[in-house]
């Protein structure tokens, strides 16, 4: 039987901090969220290892370091409204829920959306709202957002997401081909839109109007 709390601390130190994520609030959130409860029971012992893991519908829960890196890039202080595209297991949503005021998350597979919702409810995360649909269109009813995180790879940055970014807001999105992408940080400032490349990643495909076709 793995000691999950110890495994989580080791994960934070050896995988997340060691690779340069230093935002104390992000590290604290990752120490707290029980990642093993977001994966299949058979995979719980691997929940804190240094790689992504399969979830239902042929999708994956991201590698812990990538969750840390992407979350840190949003520079959340606590009062933000955040949008996530690709709820998947719900793990990233829980990390965001620890760090922001409200989290809106969209998943295209109903089954994943329902499951993530029930895990988040059981853990008491009442500041996360999950919707099933095409997240490449964003969530216009509740825009603008201070932070937007896309956890699936896309051939281009969906324009609706840029449009739904608040002044001073930050959007992090993997952009590239179906196999490999670059993490692009988009910041909306007074002088317009600024883009920074944070490096190479491999995500499952964003499937939707502004992503890939099936
Ligand atoms: N953030 C997730 C990672 C999930 S993998 C986690 O912490 O577990 C990416 C997810 O994006 C998959 O569940 C996939 O079904 C979903 N996805 C792909 N295209 C989408 C779209 N257009 N809208 C919403 N979700 C999408």
């Amino acid at each position: 039987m793995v000691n999950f709390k110890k495994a989580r601390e080791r994960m934070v130190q050896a995988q997340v901090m060691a690779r340069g994520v230093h935002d104390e609030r992000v590290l604290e959130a990752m120490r707290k969220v029980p990642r093993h409860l977001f994966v299949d029971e058979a995979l719980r012992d691997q929940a804190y290892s240094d790689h992504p893991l399969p979830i239902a519908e042929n999708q994956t829960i991201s590698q812990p370091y990538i969750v840390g890196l992407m979350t840190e890039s949003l520079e959340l202080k606590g009062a933000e409204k955040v949008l996530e595209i690709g709820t998947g297991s719900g793990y990233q949503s829980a990390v965001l829920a620890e760090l922001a005021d409200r989290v809106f998350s969209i998943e295209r597979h109903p089954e994943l959306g329902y499951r993530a919702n029930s895990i988040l409810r059981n853990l008491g995360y009442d500041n996360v709202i999950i919707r099933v649909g095409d997240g490449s269109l964003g969530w216009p009813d509740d825009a603008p957002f201070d932070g937007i995180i896309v956890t699936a790879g896309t051939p281009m940055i969906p324009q609706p997401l840029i449009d739904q970014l608040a002044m001073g807001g930050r959007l992090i999105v993997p952009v590239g081909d179906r196999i490999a992408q670059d993490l692009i940080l988009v910041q909306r400032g007074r002088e317009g839109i600024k883009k920074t490349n944070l490096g190479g990643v491999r995500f499952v495909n964003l499937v939707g109007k502004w992503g890939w076709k099936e």
Side-chain angles (χ1 to χ4, degrees):
M1 178 75 190
V2 177
N3 179 330
F4 291 119
K5 192 165 189 295
K6 270 196 188 145
R8 209 149 52 232
E9 181 58 42
R10 266 202 306 276
M11 168 194 87
V12 167
Q13 289 188 19
Q15 302 171 35
V16 186
M17 289 175 78
R19 294 202 185 97
V21 174
H22 295 306
D23 182 329
E24 254 318 310
R25 295 186 72 240
V26 172
L27 300 173
E28 209 40 51
M30 293 187 76
R31 280 190 187 102
K32 187 165 168 200
V33 178
R35 179 173 163 98
H36 61 283
L37 298 183
F38 292 87
V39 301
D40 233 55
E41 233 171 307
L43 295 175
R44 282 204 177 144
D45 288 0
Q46 294 179 56
Y48 298 100
S49 19
D50 198 9
H51 49 73
L53 285 171
I55 55 175
E57 307 285 359
N58 264 325
Q59 306 300 319
T60 55
I61 174 173
S62 306
Q63 180 187 15
Y65 164 62
I66 296 298
V67 173
L69 176 68
M70 292 178 81
T71 307
E72 182 177 63
S73 77
L74 296 178
E75 296 192 356
L76 301 171
K77 303 284 183 268
E80 296 84 357
K81 197 161 83 174
V82 177
L83 174 66
E84 175 189 28
I85 315 304
T87 316
S89 68
Y91 173 68
Q92 172 76 71
S93 325
V95 172
L96 294 169
E98 292 283 346
L99 296 166
D101 182 41
R102 272 186 297 162
V103 179
F104 297 81
S105 185
I106 313 181
E107 170 55 52
R108 79 180 263 273
H109 287 293
E111 178 66 22
L112 287 173
Y114 299 147
R115 188 185 299 185
N117 188 55
S118 107
I119 297 171
L120 290 163
R121 292 299 144 248
N122 286 337
L123 289 171
Y125 288 107
D126 54 11
N127 59 340
V128 183
I129 305 178
I130 296 175
R131 177 182 277 183
V132 171
D134 178 6
S136 76
L137 301 169
W139 192 314
D141 308 355
D142 285 284
F145 298 95
D146 307 300
I148 302 180
I149 179 168
V150 184
T151 63
T154 172
M156 59 178 153
I157 303 176
Q159 187 59 41
L161 300 186
I162 297 179
D163 295 342
Q164 291 171 33
L165 200 55
M167 180 56 69
R170 293 166 157 254
L171 157 67
I172 183 84
V173 51
V175 184
D177 61 29
R178 280 181 181 271
I179 309 292
Q181 307 86 29
D182 284 313
L183 265 186
I184 306 297
L185 175 66
V186 180
Q187 291 169 263
R188 179 187 291 283
R190 304 253 165 252
E191 285 89 51
I193 294 291
K194 185 177 131 196
K195 293 180 193 165
T196 316
N197 188 338
L198 300 188
V201 284
R202 282 167 187 271
F203 272 87
V204 294
N205 294 172
L206 182 79
V207 176
K209 178 150 191 264
W210 293 83
W212 299 99
K213 310 281 163 247
E214 269 315 320

